[in-house]
Amino acid sequence: MSQEPSWDLYRTFNAVLSEGSLSGAARALGLTQPSIARHIDALEEAVGAPLFLRTSRGLSPTDAALELRPFAELMASTSAALLRTAEGRSGEVDGTVRISASEVVGIIHLPAILTRLRQRYPRLTIELSLSNAVDDLLKRQADIAIRMVRPEQQTLIAKRVGSFPVGLHAHRDYLARRGTPKSMDDLKHHDIIGYDAETPAIRAFAERHPGLDRASFALRVDSNIAHLTAIRAGFGIGICQTIIADAEPDLQRVLPDAFHEDLETWVVMHEDLSGNTRCRAVFDALVTELTALVRR
Amino acid sequence: MSQEPSWDLYRTFNAVLSEGSLSGAARALGLTQPSIARHIDALEEAVGAPLFLRTSRGLSPTDAALELRPFAELMASTSAALLRTAEGRSGEVDGTVRISASEVVGIIHLPAILTRLRQRYPRLTIELSLSNAVDDLLKRQADIAIRMVRPEQQTLIAKRVGSFPVGLHAHRDYLARRGTPKSMDDLKHHDIIGYDAETPAIRAFAERHPGLDRASFALRVDSNIAHLTAIRAGFGIGICQTIIADAEPDLQRVLPDAFHEDLETWVVMHEDLSGNTRCRAVFDALVTELTALVRR
DNA sequence: CCTGGCTCATATATTTTCGTATAGCATATG
DNA sequence: CATATGCTATACGAAAATATATGAGCCAGG
């Protein structure tokens, strides 16, 4: 290769991959189709391999393209993170902070916290990315993450905020209808709301609680929010945070002694952002608020 | 911001940061100084903050520039990794693989292994990055890493190759001159070669071996290679891998029962590269060779 | 004190890249 | 079977980015 290709080619490459056509990529990037075509031609020339099969209804990526995709995506998220960091460097807390959290934390706990945060910093914008992926920070897909596992990466700044207790819960209507189990064995005769996927975390959980295995579930769903909604609807007995259930009179704890878990919770930030006023303010606020929430 | 800036601006930004001047960056990138100046102007416009203080003998970065630097560097290493991956996709093992390893592994153990590897794959090029940083893979600064800590990141593929035993060693001349210690207590009267920095790993080590603390060191140096060289020169008693010392008749083990450690060793690769013929071949070869070396 | 070598800034010419317009092709729809 | 609507490919003029050339400031060395 004579000269390193323009980094803009990678951006175009990303757009073509996600849009599936030159014209679509052109629309997404605000360019025109011939320009996109030239970019892809240039990139194929630079990497020395065809990246797409041209058909009359779009482009389909080759194996080579799929192999390069993660790199191009990392460049895209890094560029976005750079621009976020650069935003609003006025010494005040403004600009955008992107927070990654689990669905439950993002939907149940964060709204009130973010409301206070926004009132305190009226020029602050929050982006919320709700998923259980844990490597967002290193892929620069978020500035701050709230996690249920201890972060091991040395380049991350982490602060423990305590543990969210979780337990078995059911709606009072369900318990009135089906009775309240007195032991873990009784659960065999109940409708249990459980998980669908088999992640390492879930496998470890299943080993700790032999009664609650996949075969015994009457409803299998991965979304913890759907879990909670099913409990509220009186479908059966499921797991949710006690903090959530305590706030809803219709939800009752089941077998509090036989079943309890604690979700260690951490607020995590990349050390590159430790000097950033905005991220620091949000990080500190999240630590304070979540710590208070857990201790309540 | 009206439109996302060209990603090429980040490349220019990197070059100006590392070269310290517009002209230097122009030389490094094969462009001209006015172009570099326009790039920096455009980037400052895009991020809305001055990035450099212009002086007549170069540019000095502002705090804003230093804050953005890690992102731009990540983009650069990602781009380089992408091009490495794209290289030589012929199904054969050719192209470039970048390996990150500790100084000792890279200088003592790898040369012979890499020689055999190169003979087996004559078109394979190896880049060797020797440092003790452990996050090279996630920053895309290497394709494969050899590490002494268990990798925790889920996106990494790791294979354990066994443990390198380490022990106290000294040159026979030194021992003839000063005598051979019979117990850990005897070390007080000897010249000990130790570490300078205070990393978490070293702190943990010091706790396991109370006799070997910083105060007792006659020579403090961080480089493990300098460590080894000092032992060879007969300076005193120091720590090195037994595999290395066993191969040199002049080096003798000291207190083999009272002091021994095992360095668990892993070969690690990012899962994005698992389908890459070249990386896979090098990964497998490193695992095989290092396993054989440890078992010997 | 002046010269050479370094820097950045600016004006102008040239090259490159981009957008517009159009043609060709495949597929879906009436 | 004709038509509409996607898509890619190509030709050409316009716009943007580039290189060249030059000026001015700073600093070290003779």
Side-chain angles (χ1 to χ4, degrees):
Chain A
M1 123 198 63
S2 54
Q3 175 100 4
E4 191 189 359
S6 163
W7 287 4
D8 286 339
L9 301 187
Y10 305 136
R11 174 166 55 186
T12 302
F13 175 62
N14 266 328
V16 174
L17 275 171
S18 59
E19 298 293 327
S21 75
L22 298 179
S23 332
R27 283 189 293 272
L29 293 177
L31 297 175
T32 57
Q33 173 259 325
S35 293
I36 304 296
R38 278 186 290 259
H39 284 186
I40 297 300
D41 288 345
L43 189 58
E44 288 180 330
E45 171 73 18
V47 304
L51 294 172
F52 295 95
L53 299 175
R54 275 87 167 162
T55 77
S56 60
R57 59 178 193 290
L59 274 69
S60 71
T62 63
D63 287 348
L66 295 177
E67 198 175 357
L68 300 183
R69 179 172 203 170
F71 298 90
E73 285 177 345
L74 179 56
M75 290 195 74
S77 56
T78 305
S79 165
L82 184 149
L83 291 175
R84 268 202 312 277
T85 305
E87 222 181 341
R89 286 190 39 84
S90 54
E92 294 176 47
V93 176
D94 63 347
T96 307
V97 171
R98 189 173 172 89
I99 301 174
S100 166
S102 69
E103 283 188 343
V104 170
V105 169
I107 292 173
I108 310 285
H109 300 314
L110 280 188
I113 294 174
L114 297 182
T115 301
R116 287 189 285 276
L117 197 62
R118 171 74 180 184
Q119 281 166 354
R120 186 154 149 213
Y121 306 116
R123 308 189 52 184
L124 183 69
T125 304
I126 305 285
E127 288 180 10
L128 211 48
S129 164
L130 301 186
S131 81
N132 293 320
V134 290
D135 55 348
D136 289 1
L137 293 185
L138 296 160
K139 285 183 182 168
R140 304 293 181 169
Q141 289 165 355
D143 300 318
I144 297 175
I146 299 168
R147 299 211 186 138
M148 305 312 188
V149 292
R150 184 193 199 103
E152 303 283 348
Q153 207 59 31
Q154 292 178 356
T155 53
L156 299 180
I157 297 172
K159 192 115 183 177
R160 190 174 174 278
V161 298
S163 296
F164 283 100
V166 299
L168 292 171
H169 295 82
H171 195 281
R172 61 196 316 168
D173 291 350
Y174 172 87
L175 295 176
R177 197 166 75 237
R178 302 284 300 270
T180 302
K182 299 280 182 283
S183 70
M184 290 297 280
D185 272 351
D186 287 353
L187 291 180
K188 285 194 181 71
H189 312 104
H190 278 271
D191 297 340
I192 307 295
I193 305 163
Y195 297 98
D196 188 31
E198 282 274 345
T199 67
I202 299 220
R203 251 190 300 278
F205 170 88
E207 279 177 24
R208 283 197 300 276
H209 304 283
L212 293 171
D213 55 353
R214 206 165 178 286
S216 66
F217 296 153
L219 172 63
R220 299 183 189 128
V221 59
D222 284 332
S223 162
N224 295 34
I225 294 294
H227 227 85
L228 178 60
T229 313
I231 297 174
R232 281 188 187 133
F235 181 95
I237 299 173
I239 297 168
C240 80
Q241 295 184 10
T242 59
I243 294 179
I244 300 172
D246 288 350
E248 305 187 23
D250 286 340
L251 298 192
Q252 298 192 351
R253 181 90 185 256
V254 170
L255 295 170
D257 297 323
F259 181 95
H260 52 86
E261 290 255 331
D262 283 306
L263 291 181
E264 280 217 330
T265 304
W266 305 75
V267 181
V268 195
M269 177 171 63
H270 201 288
E271 67 176 1
D272 290 348
L273 295 171
S274 63
N276 186 287
T277 314
R278 166 180 58 250
C279 290
R280 196 81 216 184
V282 174
F283 183 88
D284 292 342
L286 287 177
V287 169
T288 306
E289 293 261 16
L290 287 172
T291 304
L293 179 65
V294 167
R295 288 213 181 126
R296 209 196 35 165
Chain B
M1 122 197 66
S2 55
Q3 176 99 2
E4 192 189 358
S6 164
W7 288 4
D8 286 340
L9 301 188
Y10 305 136
R11 173 166 58 186
T12 303
F13 175 63
N14 264 328
V16 174
L17 275 171
S18 60
E19 298 293 328
S21 74
L22 298 179
S23 341
R27 283 189 293 273
L29 293 177
L31 297 175
T32 58
Q33 171 258 322
S35 293
I36 303 297
R38 278 186 292 264
H39 284 187
I40 297 301
D41 288 346
L43 189 58
E44 289 180 329
E45 172 74 18
V47 304
L51 294 171
F52 295 96
L53 298 175
R54 275 85 167 164
T55 76
S56 61
R57 55 177 194 291
L59 273 68
S60 71
T62 63
D63 288 347
L66 295 177
E67 198 174 358
L68 300 182
R69 180 171 202 170
F71 298 90
E73 285 177 344
L74 178 56
M75 290 194 73
S77 56
T78 305
S79 164
L82 185 150
L83 291 175
R84 266 201 315 276
T85 305
E87 222 181 344
R89 286 189 40 83
S90 55
E92 295 177 46
V93 176
D94 62 346
T96 307
V97 171
R98 189 174 172 88
I99 302 173
S100 165
S102 70
E103 282 188 343
V104 170
V105 169
I107 293 173
I108 310 286
H109 300 313
L110 280 187
I113 294 174
L114 296 182
T115 301
R116 286 189 287 275
L117 197 61
R118 171 75 180 185
Q119 281 166 353
R120 186 154 149 213
Y121 306 116
R123 307 188 53 183
L124 182 68
T125 304
I126 304 285
E127 289 179 8
L128 211 47
S129 164
L130 301 186
S131 80
N132 293 320
V134 290
D135 54 348
D136 289 2
L137 294 185
L138 296 161
K139 286 182 181 168
R140 305 292 181 168
Q141 288 165 354
D143 301 317
I144 296 175
I146 299 167
R147 298 209 186 142
M148 305 312 188
V149 291
R150 184 192 200 106
E152 303 284 348
Q153 207 59 31
Q154 293 178 354
T155 52
L156 299 181
I157 297 171
K159 192 115 185 176
R160 188 172 177 280
V161 298
S163 296
F164 282 100
V166 300
L168 292 171
H169 294 83
H171 196 281
R172 60 198 313 170
D173 290 353
Y174 172 88
L175 294 176
R177 198 166 74 238
R178 302 284 301 269
T180 302
K182 300 280 183 283
S183 72
M184 290 297 280
D185 272 352
D186 287 354
L187 291 179
K188 286 195 182 66
H189 313 105
H190 277 272
D191 297 341
I192 308 296
I193 305 163
Y195 296 99
D196 189 30
E198 281 276 344
T199 68
I202 300 223
R203 250 191 300 279
F205 171 86
E207 278 176 24
R208 284 196 299 277
H209 305 284
L212 293 171
D213 55 353
R214 208 164 177 286
S216 65
F217 295 153
L219 171 62
R220 299 184 190 127
V221 59
D222 284 331
S223 162
N224 294 27
I225 294 295
H227 227 85
L228 178 61
T229 313
I231 297 172
R232 280 188 186 133
F235 181 95
I237 299 173
I239 297 167
C240 80
Q241 296 183 9
T242 59
I243 294 179
I244 300 172
D246 288 351
E248 304 187 24
D250 286 340
L251 298 191
Q252 298 193 352
R253 181 91 186 255
V254 170
L255 295 170
D257 297 323
F259 181 95
H260 52 85
E261 290 255 330
D262 283 308
L263 290 181
E264 279 218 331
T265 304
W266 305 76
V267 181
V268 194
M269 176 170 66
H270 201 287
E271 66 176 1
D272 289 348
L273 295 171
S274 63
N276 186 287
T277 313
R278 167 180 59 250
C279 289
R280 195 83 217 183
V282 174
F283 183 89
D284 293 342
L286 286 177
V287 169
T288 306
E289 292 262 16
L290 287 172
T291 303
L293 180 66
V294 166
R295 288 212 181 126
R296 210 199 34 164

